[in-house]
Amino acid sequence: MLELLGQYAEQSQFFNLFNYITFRTGGAMFTAMIMAFAIGAPFIHWLRKKQGKGQPIRTDGPEGHLLTKKGTPTMGGLIILISLGISALLWSDLQNPYVWAVLIVTVGFGAIGFVDDFAKVTKQHHGGLSAKLRLFFEFSIALVAIIAMLAAEWVATTPGQTHDVMGFLNALMASEPLTAVALPFVNGWGIQLLAFYVLFAMFVVVGFGNAVNLTDGLDGLAIVPVMIAAGTFGMICYLVGRVDYSEYLGIPHVAGVSELATLLGALLGASLGFLWYNAPPARVFMGDTGSLALGGLLGAVAVATKHEIVLAIVGGLFVLETLSVMLQVAVFKRTGKRLFLMAPVHHHFEKLGWQEPTIVIRFWIISVIFALAGLATLKLR
């Protein structure tokens, strides 16, 4: 029977659609969106019942937060992760190593965020896991995923050769595209990092995970820029994975990464469903469970497609938010004065008297501009 079904699928135009990444990406997006809509309300009710007081609000934050956000449950990122995960397993090619590598980062970072959120809720204090412990686990997970992606790329580019550990280590030390960083506006490969590429890639994944985490401070502020970046990198994955398009555009070709478009489609759909409940005034917060996982996912996709620098452009809003925190700390340590009224920078504008919806929508516009600039780098080479 299975053999007959297989023969029918090969002959059927309808079943042939499942061979197309574009079709499966749309299916993954639609499935994840419906799932997020369906589980959102009962899941939020369950979170509110279990958490009681909800996420603790910083007492040194904007004054209005204590009144408007107190009692709102957190860990809403689980809505995204559950919908994304199930949809990805249904629509993605599970024989593709890049899919599993990115899922390792997503689930691993989500688990770290969950433990952090759980500690905050139970202790009713905004401090969760220690920074050192968080970073240790994040870098460890990133290392495993990056080695898996590099190994997959090495195997794909060296057919017919013997693939063993020593051969892989030699490839990391050789001047090959495997460990090169592509530069925007430059044809082909850019800077060769050799084995240091592994460290660079780890910083990209961990750094972007925490950058999205820092941005998640207002209702809807982080999720829409994540969606914009996901849509942008969905296009990049498709182009990088195609030999014809990558050659035409002069961008690096990485065989197999086009399959990640289905994962990003699932992320986009799950995020749309979550936004329904996270739109101001938010019924649930994403929490570190969601922000760390989604940032890590985008960082891992950027590493897989060799577009790490372009991620800094497409996700420019997240970079600016992170830089505002770094500058605030550096200036305060040096001069004892604050560069911003409060960091991250979205809180600075709150302190200036901007209304929350104004800040959020204007930051969304900035995200669209950054995404367009990132896409422009694909052609302007």
Side-chain angles (χ1 to χ4, degrees), residues 136-147:
F136 170 77
F137 287 121
E138 288 169 13
F139 275 107
S140 299
I141 293 167
L143 176 61
V144 172
I146 289 160
I147 294 298

Side-chain angles (χ1 to χ4, degrees), residues 24 44 58 92 144 161 238 267-268 290 295 355:
R24 287 187 286 110
I44 292 169
R58 289 175 56 178
S92 298
V144 172
Q161 295 186 18
Y238 184 72
L267 169 58
L268 194 55
Q355 295 298 311

